[in-house]
Amino acid sequence: MGDVAVGAQEGHGEAERPQQDPAGPEGLDRPQGTEGTATASEAVHGEPAVPVGGTAPKTGKQRSFWKELPLLIGIALILALLIKTFLVQAFSIPSDSMQNTLQRGDRVLVDKLTPWFGSEPERGEVVVFHDPGNWLQGEPTPQPNAVQKVLSFVGLMPSAEEKDLIKRVVAVGGDTVECKGTGPLKVNGKALNEPYVFAGNTPCSTDPESQFKITVPKGRIWVMGDHRQNSADSRYHQEQPGGGSVPVDKVVGRALVIAWPINRWDTLPVPSTFGQSGIGTVAAAAPAALGLLGAAPVVLLRRRRRSTR
């Protein structure tokens, strides 16, 4: 019985003894040096500990989505403009000159980055280039509305006002390219096997103005459409400077993929015919020939010195 009584006394002793609040009623007599310290009651009940004479900390209020939306749109437009200017731009195909590789209405994505690093077009690539000499004279130009103009300016849709063309590069500076009769098309004496040419077309057209044999000047390219009998390409501008070739600095970039419509998604690789052995012989031989020409006087001079010793 004694053990039970002691246990009961110990269990209720602390609860029966009143606790003296050192601060007194209402905390008026809180000892000096305790300002800014939370009381036990504040800690227990979760009340914020606020220094005496201070202010409660401000809680950050989240901005409304509708207030942030204009900023997000502005950032997106700036990024789109930078991408269009330096990386990739969308172009719309307005004609049938590149059938069946490209159809009227296709949207292609054009790489604009590599030309910034000095990369030049190569044989077989499909490229977009600015009109080099009124090739599009007389062609109708669509009149976009205000929204289309803004979207095309930032690169979110193809531009309808830019005077650009899209063709395949068949020869580069230093190459000799020729078409006689109905073909085949030859580059540096090598006949091209061109499965990408529109079905029913011949590689070369028989009309006299489209027959040619030309050595492409340095810094220029020779371009032709895959729909050979429906493409006003380099063949039909031989009276212009460069004999119909296009200056490299007019090239916007290489078309890499068909992005729209979805059922036309595809890449635009370089056909294997342009990788055949010997097709680049002339262009590759030119630097070697110049090197030998420059070395000849040195060799002759050394031989002459040896003979006079």
Side-chain angles (χ1 to χ4, degrees):
M1 295 293 291
D3 289 341
V4 174
V6 171
Q9 184 178 3
E10 291 176 352
H12 294 282
E14 300 246 345
E16 292 172 356
R17 286 196 293 269
Q19 296 293 325
Q20 296 295 327
D21 186 352
E26 300 298 325
L28 298 178
D29 297 328
R30 184 173 294 175
Q32 293 183 354
T34 61
E35 291 85 358
T37 305
T39 66
S41 175
E42 290 168 345
V44 170
H45 295 288
E47 296 294 334
V50 181
V52 176
T55 57
K58 295 181 179 179
T59 57
K61 189 176 181 181
Q62 192 171 14
R63 295 180 64 182
S64 167
F65 169 77
W66 297 108
K67 290 182 179 180
E68 292 186 350
L69 184 59
L71 177 62
L72 294 175
I73 293 176
I75 293 174
L77 292 177
I78 291 173
L79 289 175
L81 181 59
L82 291 174
I83 290 172
K84 170 206 169 183
T85 304
F86 300 105
L87 299 178
V88 176
Q89 184 175 356
F91 285 85
S92 177
I93 307 304
S95 70
D96 301 325
S97 68
M98 282 296 293
Q99 285 182 326
N100 271 330
T101 303
L102 298 173
Q103 300 290 349
R104 185 191 296 260
D106 283 353
R107 265 62 169 178
V108 297
L109 297 183
V110 174
D111 167 28
K112 300 179 70 174
L113 178 62
T114 50
W116 284 89
F117 294 95
S119 176
E120 295 189 356
E122 298 182 0
R123 305 178 194 91
E125 293 180 348
V126 176
V127 297
V128 171
F129 56 96
H130 298 311
D131 189 341
N134 293 322
W135 287 20
L136 293 175
Q137 186 175 12
E139 293 290 332
T141 301
Q143 297 299 322
N145 57 39
V147 175
Q148 290 174 327
K149 287 182 179 180
V150 172
L151 293 178
S152 64
F153 175 73
V154 297
L156 295 180
M157 71 173 292
S159 173
E161 296 180 323
E162 293 181 359
K163 297 289 187 178
D164 297 321
L165 301 97
I166 185 166
K167 306 290 181 188
R168 189 181 299 277
V169 179
V170 297
V172 296
D175 288 344
T176 297
V177 57
E178 60 180 309
C179 257
K180 292 183 178 180
T182 58
L185 176 67
K186 293 182 179 180
V187 178
N188 297 327
K190 296 288 184 178
L192 299 184
N193 176 28
E194 301 183 281
Y196 46 82
V197 169
F198 184 72
N201 279 193
T202 55
C204 301
S205 299
T206 56
D207 47 309
E209 61 180 331
S210 67
Q211 301 286 297
F212 62 90
K213 181 176 182 179
I214 182 174
T215 298
V216 183
K218 291 294 183 182
R220 304 178 78 95
I221 55 175
W222 186 269
V223 296
M224 297 175 69
D226 290 353
H227 197 336
R228 294 289 160 82
Q229 272 77 67
N230 190 20
S231 176
D233 46 43
S234 290
R235 296 170 293 171
Y236 295 93
H237 301 280
Q238 297 182 54
E239 77 286 353
Q240 295 184 1
S245 59
V246 177
V248 168
D249 60 14
K250 290 286 187 180
V251 176
V252 176
R254 175 187 173 185
L256 296 176
V257 296
I258 303 171
W260 188 264
I262 295 176
N263 64 340
R264 293 271 302 152
W265 279 358
D266 202 357
T267 59
L268 297 170
V270 173
S272 59
T273 188
F274 291 95
Q276 62 178 296
S277 177
I279 196 171
T281 302
V282 172
L290 291 175
L292 289 174
L293 185 62
V298 177
V299 174
L300 292 175
L301 182 60
R302 290 187 64 181
R303 292 187 62 182
R304 184 174 180 180
R305 285 181 177 178
R306 288 177 181 177
S307 64
T308 56
R309 288 179 182 177

